[in-house]
Amino acid sequence: MGGILGLTFLVILFGKGFARRETDDKFRRGVATGALAGCFAVLIHSFFDFTLHTTANALLFLILAALATQDRRVDEGLHQRRRRRSRTNELEPAATDPPALG
């Protein structure tokens, strides 16, 4: 049962990872490709050694998996929330402030 779940996870991971590579954004394509290559390297190494039993290596694998399958909605949400104040609005006195004397 565990082997079936692990194999299903890997099929979904690489399926979504290759789907995320189909984009016009070169940076996103590079991150997805590099993360998939890192996941593949960790998996190949774990066939010969028990590397995923070490917490740091397992965490690295999960972070790479998250980067490989990152959805586009994560980036879109950040751009909508970030609004900068313009510098001119901060320097102008408010209309309710009394005029400065002399």
Side-chain angles (χ1 to χ4, degrees), residues 4-26:
I4 293 171
L5 289 175
L7 187 61
T8 303
F9 173 75
L10 292 177
V11 167
I12 291 172
L13 169 68
F14 283 98
K16 284 190 179 257
F18 282 116
R20 297 294 183 254
R21 289 182 57 230
E22 303 299 324
T23 181
D24 294 331
D25 187 4
K26 290 181 182 180

Side-chain angles (χ1 to χ4, degrees), residues 29-39 64:
R29 193 177 328 144
V31 168
T33 304
L36 284 174
C39 286
L64 289 172

Side-chain angles (χ1 to χ4, degrees), residues 6-72:
L7 187 61
T8 303
F9 173 75
L10 292 177
V11 167
I12 291 172
L13 169 68
F14 283 98
K16 284 190 179 257
F18 282 116
R20 297 294 183 254
R21 289 182 57 230
E22 303 299 324
T23 181
D24 294 331
D25 187 4
K26 290 181 182 180
F27 179 74
R28 182 175 307 227
R29 193 177 328 144
V31 168
T33 304
L36 284 174
C39 286
F40 183 73
V42 169
L43 289 173
I44 292 297
H45 185 67
S46 67
F47 279 124
F48 302 103
D49 194 10
F50 296 107
T51 60
L52 292 178
H53 288 272
T54 307
T55 307
N57 293 342
L59 183 63
L60 174 68
F61 178 76
L62 289 177
I63 290 172
L64 289 172
L67 285 173
T69 60
Q70 178 185 13
D71 197 3
R72 185 180 351 209

